[in-house]
């Protein structure tokens, strides 16, 4: 059993692979995990919360902050793993210089998007959504929240496009030769 973990098993996942192929697998795995989590959150979890009316409840801001706090940290880990693996892949692969630069720039942009979600957008949106006036008869979201949602969706679409492009570049067999 321990041979499989230390590389002694011939059928092990990473045994017999070139360093470029190993980094390619790490990049594809981290980007795949990140993309699938983002799609699940954006197109399953949040619409479900919206259709069930939870967004109208008073505790939605704190509940959504908890969800996004956890997801943003996982997102940061995936972004860091993707950037690190792309960086290592650019060092050991035989891809042309322009492809390497595009891959590194994509990785950096993805990390910047994850950082902006984690430390700017999510805390600010949650702060706007918290109901501090419990005696108010009418509850309404500030107009600024719509602008922040628009920024979120632009960043999210950019993230999905960049990650998809990077995933296709990392999946290219020529990269890991």
């Amino acid at each position: 059993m321990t041979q499989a973990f230390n590389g002694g098993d011939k059928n092990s996942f990473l045994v017999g692979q070139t360093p470029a192929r190993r980094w390619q697998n790490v990049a594809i795995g981290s980007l795949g995990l990140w993309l699938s989590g983002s799609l699940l959150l954006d197109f399953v979890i949040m619409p479900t919360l919206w259709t069930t009316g939870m967004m109208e409840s008073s505790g939605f801001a704190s509940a959504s902050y908890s969800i996004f706090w956890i997801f943003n940290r996982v997102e940061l880990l995936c972004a860091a793993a993707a950037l690190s693996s792309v960086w290592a892949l650019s060092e050991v692969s035989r891809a042309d210089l322009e492809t390497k630069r595009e891959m590194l720039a994509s990785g950096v942009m993805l990390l910047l998007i994850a950082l902006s979600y984690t430390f700017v957008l999510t805390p600010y949106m949650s702060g706007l959504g918290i109901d501090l006036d419990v005696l108010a008869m009418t509850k309404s979201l500030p107009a600024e929240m719509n602008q922040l949602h628009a920024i979120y969706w632009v960043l999210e679409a950019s993230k999905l496009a960049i990650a998809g492009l990077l995933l296709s570049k990392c999946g290219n067999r020529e990269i890991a030769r």
Side-chain angles (χ1 to χ4, degrees):
M1 179 96 174
T2 59
Q3 285 182 336
F5 291 111
N6 65 16
D9 187 6
K10 297 281 188 224
N11 296 323
S12 180
F13 179 64
L14 296 175
V15 172
Q17 292 184 357
T18 64
R21 180 71 68 195
R22 289 182 192 143
W23 286 114
Q24 185 181 30
N25 288 336
V26 172
I28 290 170
S30 60
L31 287 168
L33 176 69
W34 188 6
L35 282 175
S36 62
S38 291
L39 292 172
L40 180 70
L41 186 68
D42 291 339
F43 298 112
V44 176
I45 295 173
M46 293 313 288
T48 301
L49 294 177
W50 184 73
T51 57
T52 59
M54 186 177 172
M55 289 187 174
E56 303 299 322
S57 72
S58 62
F60 177 73
S62 59
S64 64
Y65 182 75
S66 298
I67 291 169
F68 279 99
W69 191 93
I70 293 167
F71 184 74
N72 287 340
R73 272 46 181 194
V74 171
E75 200 167 30
L76 279 175
L77 289 173
C78 289
L83 178 58
S84 299
S85 60
V86 165
W87 191 347
L89 185 59
S90 72
E91 292 294 321
V92 297
S93 75
R94 295 184 183 164
D96 62 340
L97 186 60
E98 187 169 332
T99 301
K100 290 178 181 181
R101 285 183 181 164
E102 288 173 2
M103 289 171 60
L104 285 171
S106 297
V108 168
M109 286 190 293
L110 288 173
L111 181 62
L112 290 174
I113 289 172
L115 285 169
S116 67
Y117 282 162
T118 305
F119 298 112
V120 178
L121 203 56
T122 300
Y124 194 62
M125 288 176 78
S126 296
L128 280 178
I130 291 177
D131 184 23
L132 297 178
D133 189 9
V134 292
L135 300 176
M137 295 304 243
T138 59
K139 309 277 185 193
S140 64
L141 287 176
E144 194 175 8
M145 187 66 89
N146 290 332
Q147 295 170 345
L148 292 173
H149 278 114
I151 291 169
Y152 171 81
W153 284 109
V154 166
L155 283 175
E156 192 67 11
S158 301
K159 177 183 79 174
L160 294 174
I162 293 167
L165 256 159
L166 186 56
L167 191 59
S168 70
K169 285 190 181 292
C170 288
N172 187 351
R173 290 212 176 267
E174 297 299 316
I175 295 288
R177 284 199 171 176

